[in-house]
């Protein structure tokens, strides 16, 4: 049986050393740094025992940007940056709920990315109790660096995230401050989804999120490991930004 239309080519991310990582699905974690939760007006847990449940949302796999060129999206006047650790899974999860201590054995590589957000659309949806999809899951909303194999990264707790816009530091946070670490998040995701090789997880952002304008240059770093350089370009197509 032949396809009625050509099969879409999957998004692929370069892997340091050799090859590319085909993206199956993009999971994102909201409010995973206490300081960012507070700046967004949400309560932050005082301890792990008070964490409750993580907030998850998804982006389409073709939202990936690997060359750093991000057209300003249509439909918004308030595009925001959110720097995040990106986790790439290289193995399918076994059936059932993953144990948090074993979950990280699924991890193939790490990178750094931006969870770009149409903040005005997200805020309007929140105010009406509606889903965030239009604020989060749009074209070019997931710029990401090359991926670095996990064995070359080492302990995450020693690393920090830093985002500069036009040379000014906007965000900086230690991965030791994550409310839910990688193992915790994969454990929680496995309660809801069948995790597979090719999945990405954007792990949440520290405080300091803010607006981006056409012409802004950004440098996102997983300090000492990898960086993502890019810029916000003029909108594409005929829509109105």
């Amino acid at each position: 049986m032949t396809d009625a239309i050509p099969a879409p080519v999957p998004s692929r991310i370069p892997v340091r050393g050799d090859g590319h990582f085909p993206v199956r699905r993009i999971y994102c974690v909201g409010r995973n740094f206490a300081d960012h939760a507070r700046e967004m007006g949400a309560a932050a847990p005082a301890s792990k025992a008070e964490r409750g449940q993580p907030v998850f949302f998804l982006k389409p796999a073709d939202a990936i940007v690997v060359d750093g060129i991000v057209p300003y999206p249509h439909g918004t006047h308030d595009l925001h940056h959110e720097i995040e650790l990106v986790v790439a899974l290289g193995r399918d999860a076994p059936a059932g709920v993953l144990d948090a201590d074993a979950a990280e054995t699924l991890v193939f590589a790490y990178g750094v990315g931006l969870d770009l957000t149409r903040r005005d659309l997200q805020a309007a949806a929140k105010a009406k109790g509606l889903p965030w999809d239009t604020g989060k899951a749009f074209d070019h909303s997931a710029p990401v660096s090359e991926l670095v194999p996990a064995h070359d990264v080492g302990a995450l707790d020693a690393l920090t995230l830093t985002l500069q816009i036009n040379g000014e530091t906007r965000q900086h946070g230690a991965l030791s401050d994550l409310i839910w670490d990688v193992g915790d998040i994969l454990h929680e995701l496995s309660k809801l989804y069948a995790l597979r090789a090719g999945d990405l997880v954007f792990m949440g952002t520290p405080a300091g999120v803010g607006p981006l304008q056409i012409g802004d240059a950004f440098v996102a770093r997983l300090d000492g490991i990898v960086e993502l350089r890019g810029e916000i370009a003029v909108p594409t197509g005929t829509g109105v930004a």
Side-chain angles (χ1 to χ4, degrees):
M1 182 179 296
T2 59
D3 292 333
I5 61 171
V9 177
S11 298
R12 288 183 167 86
I13 304 171
V15 176
R16 180 176 294 175
D18 186 39
H20 290 77
F21 181 90
V23 180
R24 171 183 176 265
R25 190 175 288 177
I26 304 173
Y27 300 101
C28 301
V29 186
R31 303 173 185 171
N32 201 16
F33 282 84
D35 56 1
H36 173 60
R38 285 190 289 267
E39 78 173 346
M40 298 305 294
S47 67
K48 284 198 171 186
E50 300 176 7
R51 291 183 302 180
Q53 297 297 315
V55 175
F56 294 126
F57 57 93
L58 281 77
K59 290 179 182 274
D62 64 0
I64 290 292
V65 175
V66 295
D67 64 1
I69 306 303
V70 180
Y72 197 97
H74 303 309
T76 184
H77 296 281
D78 196 19
L79 176 68
H80 276 210
H81 57 73
E82 300 188 13
I83 186 173
E84 311 209 357
L85 172 70
V86 177
V87 181
L89 303 189
R91 294 172 48 202
D92 291 355
V97 176
L98 286 168
D99 182 81
D101 292 333
E104 291 186 56
T105 62
L106 303 181
V107 176
F108 167 71
Y110 296 102
V112 63
L114 297 182
D115 164 21
L116 295 179
T117 303
R118 296 192 282 206
R119 190 70 73 198
D120 45 358
L121 301 189
Q122 184 193 34
K126 283 183 177 180
K128 296 177 181 178
L130 298 174
W132 301 357
D133 298 60
T134 58
K136 288 288 191 177
F138 54 93
D139 296 335
H140 310 108
S141 62
V144 66
S145 69
E146 68 174 346
L147 297 175
V148 181
H151 57 73
D152 292 333
V153 173
L156 294 178
D157 279 357
L159 302 177
T160 59
L161 296 169
T162 303
L163 178 67
Q164 292 183 319
I165 307 296
N166 301 325
E168 173 192 358
T169 298
R170 293 270 192 92
Q171 291 185 265
H172 182 74
L175 295 184
S176 59
D177 290 336
L178 286 167
I179 297 171
W180 290 273
D181 64 20
V182 173
D184 294 332
I185 287 299
L186 296 182
H187 168 71
E188 294 294 335
L189 279 171
S190 74
K191 298 177 181 179
L192 302 169
Y193 303 99
L195 299 176
R196 296 285 182 258
D199 289 345
L200 294 180
V201 183
F202 279 58
M203 285 288 297
T205 195
V209 302
L212 290 165
Q213 308 296 334
I214 295 171
D216 282 349
F218 58 83
V219 183
R221 294 186 177 94
L222 178 58
D223 290 333
I225 302 297
V226 68
E227 70 176 30
L228 166 67
R229 291 179 175 267
E231 65 178 82
I232 306 302
V234 297
T236 57
T238 58
V240 177

